[in-house]
Amino acid sequence: MGRVRKAAGRPLIIWVLTVAVVGVGFGLYWFQPWKLWQDRTVEEALPGAVKTSAPPVTGPSTSSTPVPAPKTLAGGGLISHEHATSGMVKLVRLADGSHVVRLENLDTSNGPDLRVWLTDSPVKQGRAGWHVFDDGAYVSLGKLKGNKGSQNYPVPTDVDPSRYTSVSIWCDRFDVSFGAAELVRA
Protein backbone atom coordinates (compact mmCIF):
# COMPACT_ATOMS: atom_id res chain seq x y z
CA MET A 1 0.00 0.00 0.00
CA GLY A 2 2.91 2.41 0.74
CA ARG A 3 4.27 1.84 -2.79
CA VAL A 4 0.94 2.79 -4.32
CA ARG A 5 0.83 6.09 -2.41
CA LYS A 6 4.39 6.94 -3.46
CA ALA A 7 3.60 6.18 -7.10
CA ALA A 8 0.36 8.20 -6.95
CA GLY A 9 2.15 11.18 -5.37
CA ARG A 10 4.87 11.45 -8.03
CA PRO A 11 2.69 12.86 -10.84
CA LEU A 12 1.46 15.54 -8.46
CA ILE A 13 5.03 16.53 -7.55
CA ILE A 14 6.05 16.59 -11.22
CA TRP A 15 2.99 18.70 -12.07
CA VAL A 16 3.71 21.18 -9.25
CA LEU A 17 7.39 21.46 -10.26
CA THR A 18 6.43 21.99 -13.92
CA VAL A 19 3.96 24.74 -13.01
CA ALA A 20 6.57 26.39 -10.77
CA VAL A 21 9.24 26.34 -13.52
CA VAL A 22 6.81 27.76 -16.09
CA GLY A 23 5.68 30.42 -13.59
CA VAL A 24 9.25 31.50 -12.82
CA GLY A 25 10.08 31.59 -16.55
CA PHE A 26 7.02 33.72 -17.30
CA GLY A 27 7.79 36.05 -14.38
CA LEU A 28 11.37 36.55 -15.59
CA TYR A 29 10.15 37.30 -19.12
CA TRP A 30 7.40 39.66 -17.95
CA PHE A 31 9.34 41.67 -15.35
CA GLN A 32 12.88 41.41 -16.83
CA PRO A 33 14.51 42.22 -13.48
CA TRP A 34 18.05 42.11 -14.91
CA LYS A 35 17.34 45.40 -16.69
CA LEU A 36 17.49 47.16 -13.33
CA TRP A 37 21.27 46.57 -13.43
CA GLN A 38 21.76 47.22 -17.17
CA ASP A 39 22.19 50.80 -18.35
CA ARG A 40 22.19 51.84 -21.99
CA THR A 41 23.65 55.26 -22.77
CA VAL A 42 22.76 56.92 -26.09
CA GLU A 43 24.35 60.23 -27.11
CA GLU A 44 22.82 61.73 -30.26
CA ALA A 45 23.43 65.20 -31.67
CA LEU A 46 20.44 67.36 -32.47
CA PRO A 47 19.58 66.85 -36.16
CA GLY A 48 20.42 69.91 -38.23
CA ALA A 49 22.85 71.31 -35.67
CA VAL A 50 26.02 72.84 -37.03
CA LYS A 51 28.71 70.20 -37.44
CA THR A 52 32.19 71.35 -36.46
CA SER A 53 34.06 68.55 -38.25
CA ALA A 54 33.11 69.73 -41.77
CA PRO A 55 35.86 71.52 -43.70
CA PRO A 56 35.31 75.24 -44.24
CA VAL A 57 33.93 76.35 -47.60
CA THR A 58 36.67 78.12 -49.54
CA GLY A 59 34.79 79.10 -52.70
CA PRO A 60 31.91 81.50 -53.27
CA SER A 61 28.58 80.48 -51.79
CA THR A 62 26.02 79.14 -54.27
CA SER A 63 23.07 80.07 -52.07
CA SER A 64 22.26 83.41 -50.55
CA THR A 65 19.43 82.04 -48.39
CA PRO A 66 20.58 81.24 -44.85
CA VAL A 67 19.57 77.85 -43.45
CA PRO A 68 17.41 78.33 -40.35
CA ALA A 69 18.76 76.80 -37.18
CA PRO A 70 16.71 74.36 -35.11
CA LYS A 71 14.34 76.23 -32.78
CA THR A 72 13.17 75.06 -29.36
CA LEU A 73 9.39 75.58 -29.18
CA ALA A 74 8.78 74.15 -25.69
CA GLY A 75 10.59 72.34 -22.93
CA GLY A 76 10.66 71.28 -19.33
CA GLY A 77 12.39 69.21 -16.69
CA LEU A 78 11.58 65.54 -16.10
CA ILE A 79 10.08 64.59 -12.75
CA SER A 80 10.11 61.13 -11.21
CA HIS A 81 7.09 58.86 -11.16
CA GLU A 82 7.45 55.07 -10.79
CA HIS A 83 11.26 55.30 -11.02
CA ALA A 84 13.77 58.07 -10.27
CA THR A 85 14.01 60.11 -13.49
CA SER A 86 15.81 63.33 -14.35
CA GLY A 87 16.84 65.33 -17.41
CA MET A 88 15.33 67.85 -19.81
CA VAL A 89 12.79 67.49 -22.61
CA LYS A 90 12.62 69.83 -25.60
CA LEU A 91 10.20 70.08 -28.51
CA VAL A 92 12.36 71.31 -31.41
CA ARG A 93 11.40 72.49 -34.90
CA LEU A 94 14.18 71.57 -37.33
CA ALA A 95 15.33 73.63 -40.33
CA ASP A 96 13.21 71.51 -42.70
CA GLY A 97 10.04 72.22 -40.67
CA SER A 98 9.85 68.77 -39.06
CA HIS A 99 9.74 68.33 -35.27
CA VAL A 100 11.62 66.17 -32.79
CA VAL A 101 11.26 65.55 -29.08
CA ARG A 102 14.74 65.71 -27.59
CA LEU A 103 15.66 64.15 -24.26
CA GLU A 104 18.81 65.72 -22.81
CA ASN A 105 20.86 64.30 -19.94
CA LEU A 106 18.21 61.62 -19.36
CA ASP A 107 18.79 59.43 -16.33
CA THR A 108 16.16 56.83 -15.45
CA SER A 109 15.91 53.13 -14.69
CA ASN A 110 15.90 50.65 -17.52
CA GLY A 111 12.75 48.57 -17.83
CA PRO A 112 10.68 46.40 -20.10
CA ASP A 113 8.92 48.03 -23.07
CA LEU A 114 9.73 51.69 -22.33
CA ARG A 115 8.33 54.24 -24.81
CA VAL A 116 8.50 58.00 -25.33
CA TRP A 117 5.00 59.47 -25.43
CA LEU A 118 3.89 62.94 -26.49
CA THR A 119 0.64 63.52 -24.55
CA ASP A 120 -2.05 66.06 -23.73
CA SER A 121 -2.28 64.97 -20.08
CA PRO A 122 -1.18 67.20 -17.21
CA VAL A 123 1.99 66.28 -15.35
CA LYS A 124 1.20 65.48 -11.73
CA GLN A 125 3.67 64.92 -8.89
CA GLY A 126 3.87 61.60 -7.05
CA ARG A 127 1.62 58.56 -7.45
CA ALA A 128 -1.20 60.73 -8.82
CA GLY A 129 0.84 61.13 -12.03
CA TRP A 130 1.78 57.50 -12.59
CA HIS A 131 -1.21 56.43 -14.68
CA VAL A 132 -2.70 59.58 -16.27
CA PHE A 133 -0.91 59.65 -19.63
CA ASP A 134 -3.02 57.00 -21.36
CA ASP A 135 -6.28 58.73 -20.30
CA GLY A 136 -6.18 61.40 -23.03
CA ALA A 137 -4.59 61.78 -26.45
CA TYR A 138 -1.04 60.54 -26.88
CA VAL A 139 1.39 59.65 -29.64
CA SER A 140 4.05 57.00 -29.15
CA LEU A 141 7.31 58.29 -30.63
CA GLY A 142 8.96 54.88 -30.33
CA LYS A 143 10.92 52.73 -27.94
CA LEU A 144 13.25 54.47 -25.53
CA LYS A 145 16.69 54.18 -27.16
CA GLY A 146 18.60 54.28 -23.88
CA ASN A 147 17.87 55.01 -20.25
CA LYS A 148 20.75 57.49 -20.09
CA GLY A 149 22.06 60.22 -22.37
CA SER A 150 20.66 62.62 -24.98
CA GLN A 151 18.47 61.35 -27.81
CA ASN A 152 15.97 62.45 -30.47
CA TYR A 153 12.51 61.15 -31.32
CA PRO A 154 10.93 62.37 -34.59
CA VAL A 155 7.33 63.57 -34.37
CA PRO A 156 5.25 62.09 -37.22
CA THR A 157 4.45 64.67 -39.91
CA ASP A 158 0.69 64.17 -39.51
CA VAL A 159 0.86 65.10 -35.78
CA ASP A 160 0.31 68.70 -34.69
CA PRO A 161 2.78 69.09 -31.78
CA SER A 162 0.99 72.20 -30.48
CA ARG A 163 -1.89 69.94 -29.32
CA TYR A 164 0.34 68.18 -26.77
CA THR A 165 1.47 69.52 -23.41
CA SER A 166 3.72 66.84 -21.92
CA VAL A 167 6.15 64.00 -22.57
CA SER A 168 6.21 60.74 -20.61
CA ILE A 169 8.73 57.92 -20.38
CA TRP A 170 6.01 55.28 -20.43
CA CYS A 171 6.26 51.59 -19.53
CA ASP A 172 3.78 50.05 -21.96
CA ARG A 173 3.96 46.64 -20.30
CA PHE A 174 2.74 47.89 -16.91
CA ASP A 175 0.86 51.06 -18.00
CA VAL A 176 2.89 53.35 -15.75
CA SER A 177 5.00 56.48 -16.21
CA PHE A 178 8.64 56.26 -15.17
CA GLY A 179 8.90 60.05 -15.40
CA ALA A 180 7.37 62.99 -17.27
CA ALA A 181 7.87 66.63 -18.20
CA GLU A 182 5.45 69.44 -18.87
CA LEU A 183 6.15 71.21 -22.18
CA VAL A 184 6.29 74.92 -21.36
CA ARG A 185 6.04 76.99 -24.56
CA ALA A 186 9.05 79.19 -25.26
Side-chain angles (χ1 to χ4, degrees):
M1 187 75 157
R3 287 176 120 174
V4 172
R5 277 191 205 184
K6 284 184 182 180
R10 284 188 187 155
L12 178 62
I13 291 171
I14 291 171
W15 183 83
V16 167
L17 287 175
T18 302
V19 168
V21 168
V22 168
V24 167
F26 179 76
L28 287 173
Y29 166 76
W30 191 252
F31 289 97
Q32 299 177 0
W34 56 87
K35 286 193 171 186
L36 291 173
W37 296 279
Q38 294 177 337
D39 288 330
R40 179 147 191 236
T41 301
V42 174
E43 292 293 343
E44 294 180 328
L46 180 64
V50 176
K51 295 183 175 42
T52 57
S53 62
V57 177
T58 56
S61 175
T62 58
S63 172
S64 62
T65 308
V67 177
K71 181 178 181 187
T72 300
L73 304 177
L78 285 161
I79 64 165
S80 300
H81 281 149
E82 173 70 24
H83 291 266
T85 302
S86 63
M88 294 296 296
V89 175
K90 293 180 180 178
L91 175 63
V92 180
R93 184 176 56 229
L94 302 177
D96 65 2
S98 64
H99 296 86
V100 296
V101 168
R102 179 158 174 82
L103 304 179
E104 292 185 342
N105 302 315
L106 173 66
D107 188 4
T108 190
S109 297
N110 203 345
D113 206 13
L114 294 180
R115 309 282 173 156
V116 177
W117 278 13
L118 188 59
T119 81
D120 69 349
S121 297
V123 175
K124 297 178 182 178
Q125 294 281 346
R127 290 185 67 98
W130 287 17
H131 302 283
V132 299
F133 297 101
D134 58 350
D135 294 343
Y138 62 88
V139 176
S140 177
L141 302 179
K143 288 190 171 221
L144 186 68
K145 297 173 186 177
N147 63 308
K148 296 186 181 297
S150 297
Q151 46 214 265
N152 307 301
Y153 296 87
V155 177
T157 56
D158 61 340
V159 171
D160 177 7
S162 67
R163 291 186 52 224
Y164 299 94
T165 58
S166 61
V167 171
S168 174
I169 307 300
W170 185 258
C171 180
D172 218 17
R173 177 149 312 153
F174 295 104
D175 292 328
V176 68
S177 174
F178 273 35
E182 180 181 355
L183 291 174
V184 178
R185 302 293 170 193

